[in-house]
Amino acid sequence: MKTRRIGALIGATTLALALGACGSSDDGTASGGSSGSAADGDSIKIGIKFDQPGLGLFDAGKYSGFDVDVANYVAKELGKTNVTFIQSPSKQREDLIATGQVDLIFATYSITDERKQKVSFAGPYFVAGQDLLVATDSDITGPEGLDGKKLCSVTSSTSAQKVKDSYPGVQLQNFDTYSKCLDLVVNGQLDALTTDNTILAGYAAQPAYKGKLKVVGKTFSEERYGVGLKKGDVALCEKVNTALKKMVDSGEWQKAVDANFGPAGFKVDTATNPPKTDACS
């Protein structure tokens, strides 16, 4: 099986913890690996996003991003040398875990009480917050400045609707993906895009938008990214938490933060990061 090193986004230095990843099919979906559970052998199937720069990205045959780096570190600590990455869109994450198509999910997966009814979570390994992405010359400094402005809203996303509920004067413009909003914000056809600040930082750091877009830096929610796993698997949860703690204590967590978020000038909230892991249940 062909192996490759997992590179950090925007030319950042590859973390020493990177593991060999499996080859991919023509449609960008990871292939290969074992069909066994995370407890079996040296293989593990990990769900990530494939379209979030700085977090989980599959591009030109390579996987990169903060979620990828954390996933690889945890896999190594679990004794897994054969990692298969599986594309995990938000609406499919619970099903992927329940059906055994993935063993773990690292995909900007916020821990919520509703989701805990279907899956268990290790972590959190990062605390993000909802923010705004605007043009660099914009005078918008927070959601209160959006009255009468055009805000990108992605179908089935709650982020923009949360702003609309608090600031009724906002004009929501609906698209099917966040990436379709970027040029419109740069060109002034839209005033802002909203979702997690980590995701926004990744977009701002892309070469096509660097210097043209900025994250406002005024969060108005708390999103605790957890590691999704099969409900009730306390043993695996505890092993993942042990690995996450080691990553923080060793300094590798901070290296991953700097490599993936630094190019966008994104400042991590040190009041909430790195977070302490929750007890497994």
Side-chain angles (χ1 to χ4, degrees):
M1 180 174 290
K2 185 171 65 176
T3 60
R4 58 168 66 90
R5 303 291 291 178
I6 308 300
L9 187 63
I10 318 299
T13 302
T14 300
L15 296 178
L17 56 89
L19 302 177
C22 296
S24 62
S25 61
D26 291 338
D27 63 0
T29 303
S31 61
S34 169
S35 60
S37 72
D40 299 331
D42 62 357
S43 298
I44 191 168
K45 297 169 291 183
I46 295 180
I48 61 169
K49 294 290 182 65
F50 277 21
D51 60 351
Q52 291 182 343
L55 288 156
L57 184 69
F58 180 78
D59 183 54
K62 295 183 179 180
Y63 302 94
S64 62
F66 181 72
D67 283 350
V68 173
D69 289 338
V70 177
N72 273 300
Y73 188 95
V74 170
K76 182 179 179 181
E77 291 300 309
L78 293 177
K80 308 301 180 181
T81 56
N82 184 9
V83 177
T84 301
F85 286 120
I86 306 294
Q87 186 173 17
S88 301
S90 295
K91 64 181 179 180
Q92 297 178 18
R93 290 178 296 201
E94 285 83 18
D95 286 342
L96 289 171
I97 292 172
T99 57
Q101 295 179 65
V102 298
D103 300 304
L104 300 171
I105 286 185
F106 296 74
T108 58
Y109 203 2
S110 296
I111 300 171
T112 68
D113 289 338
E114 181 180 359
R115 288 169 177 165
K116 285 182 180 179
Q117 301 302 311
K118 298 179 180 179
V119 302
S120 290
F121 286 98
Y125 60 91
F126 193 87
V127 178
Q130 188 176 340
D131 209 326
L132 299 172
L133 186 71
V134 299
T136 52
D137 59 354
S138 173
D139 59 1
I140 295 173
T141 58
E144 66 280 353
L146 288 172
D147 187 46
K149 303 291 187 180
K150 296 178 181 178
L151 178 67
C152 174
S153 177
V154 173
T155 305
S156 299
S157 169
T158 60
S159 298
Q161 189 59 49
K162 287 179 181 178
V163 176
K164 178 70 172 177
D165 291 344
S166 298
Y167 304 94
V170 173
Q171 301 175 39
L172 298 185
Q173 305 290 311
N174 293 310
F175 297 87
D176 57 352
T177 63
Y178 290 119
S179 58
K180 290 184 178 179
C181 303
L182 301 177
D183 286 330
L184 299 178
V185 174
V186 169
N187 297 330
Q189 294 168 269
L190 292 175
D191 297 296
L193 161 64
T194 186
T195 186
D196 294 358
N197 53 2
T198 49
I199 298 172
L200 298 178
Y203 288 137
Q206 289 183 291
Y209 301 109
K210 196 169 184 180
K212 298 178 181 179
L213 294 170
K214 66 180 180 181
V215 181
V216 168
K218 187 176 181 180
T219 57
F220 44 97
S221 74
E222 185 174 274
E223 308 296 333
R224 303 167 71 245
Y225 292 168
V227 183
L229 50 94
K230 188 174 181 179
K231 186 170 176 59
D233 194 341
V234 175
L236 179 57
C237 175
E238 291 177 343
K239 289 178 181 179
V240 173
N241 275 352
T242 297
L244 292 173
K245 184 178 185 302
K246 183 176 180 180
M247 187 177 189
V248 170
D249 292 344
S250 67
E252 293 300 328
W253 181 91
Q254 188 62 53
K255 289 181 182 178
V257 166
D258 294 342
N260 292 291
F261 302 142
F266 175 62
K267 303 298 183 184
V268 172
D269 185 354
T270 56
T272 54
N273 285 293
K276 292 183 179 180
T277 57
D278 298 337
C280 295
S281 61

